[in-house]
Amino acid sequence: TLQQRRGEERVLAQQSDASAVPAVSVVHPTVTPPNDDLQIAGSTQAYAESAIYARTSGYLKAWHADLGAHVKAGQLLAEIDTPETDVELAQTRSSRQQLVASLELARSSAARWETLRKSDAVSQQELDERKAAVAQQEAALAAADANIQRLETLQSYRKVFAPFAGVITKRNVDTGALITSGNTSQQQLFYLSQTDRK
């Protein structure tokens, strides 16, 4: 049937025309959290790091900065009690006073012997011995002064200061601990890290 065939062709033509028009669906975008984390291996390092050791021996009297503390350059970190150095310094100062008295006596004795030598009352050798005694006392006094200066310098190291601004990353001592001077003892008091260039 021709009429039926034409009807089918029209339906087919309508379906073809309908299929030829593109269909568009509209989607509204939304923000979603990322699904994958990017993990990269790495490490951090300070601009400057320093182990801080004691420069004198004694007992830790007090510490003034703890782990994680931000410190400034020159800030007091710890104090060390130095009883042995204190006693040695007191003894050396007393010995110096004795040497000063001995030197004064040796000088006055040498001056008298020099006067006696002018009148030939004493020999030149005896005068030389008195002058040598003065020189010996002067040398002993100079040695005592140098020893006092050394001990005073050791005493000045009782206070431990931060060499630069940073963060205390280790504190290895507690109050009352025996402290040995120098880095050969392997006893670091603190470990300081500079995290900022300022």
Side-chain angles (χ1 to χ4, degrees):
T1 97
L2 192 54
Q3 197 172 17
Q4 185 180 5
R5 197 170 172 189
R6 281 188 185 166
E8 287 174 0
E9 285 177 4
R10 261 186 274 149
V11 171
L12 185 59
Q14 287 174 353
Q15 287 176 350
S16 293
D17 289 343
S19 297
V21 175
V24 177
S25 37
V26 178
V27 176
H28 295 286
T30 59
V31 178
T32 58
N35 293 335
D36 297 328
D37 290 334
L38 180 62
Q39 296 182 358
I40 300 173
S43 62
T44 58
Q45 186 173 351
Y47 291 112
E49 297 176 319
S50 179
I52 300 174
Y53 296 91
R55 296 196 59 195
T56 189
S57 297
Y59 299 94
L60 187 68
K61 183 177 179 181
W63 48 266
H64 301 286
D66 201 1
L67 182 67
H70 292 266
V71 297
K72 296 177 182 176
Q75 182 175 332
L76 180 64
L77 300 179
E79 293 178 76
I80 300 170
D81 190 20
T82 58
E84 291 176 5
T85 304
D86 298 345
V87 168
E88 190 178 352
L89 180 58
Q91 288 174 341
T92 306
R93 284 179 175 156
S94 295
S95 296
R96 185 191 184 281
Q97 290 175 342
Q98 291 174 340
L99 289 170
V100 167
S102 295
L103 178 59
E104 288 175 10
L105 179 62
R107 282 180 178 159
S108 66
S109 178
R112 278 193 304 273
W113 282 80
E114 190 148 355
T115 304
L116 291 171
R117 177 68 187 126
K118 289 178 185 174
S119 62
D120 280 337
V122 294
S123 68
Q124 182 64 40
Q125 181 178 350
E126 290 172 316
L127 177 60
D128 291 344
E129 287 174 359
R130 296 298 183 261
K131 287 182 177 180
V134 170
Q136 187 178 18
Q137 292 297 324
E138 288 174 342
L141 183 61
D145 286 340
N147 197 24
I148 287 171
Q149 186 176 7
R150 177 186 69 85
L151 292 169
E152 286 174 343
T153 301
L154 280 177
Q155 267 194 337
S156 72
Y157 295 142
R158 291 184 295 188
K159 294 186 176 185
V160 180
F161 297 99
F164 52 82
V167 177
I168 301 292
T169 55
K170 286 183 188 176
R171 180 183 59 82
N172 296 323
V173 289
D174 286 313
T175 304
L178 177 64
I179 305 297
T180 307
S181 66
N183 63 356
T184 55
S185 67
Q186 299 301 319
Q187 185 182 25
Q188 300 173 358
L189 301 181
F190 299 94
Y191 202 81
L192 182 64
S193 295
Q194 183 182 18
T195 56
D196 193 349
R197 291 188 186 186
K198 294 179 184 176

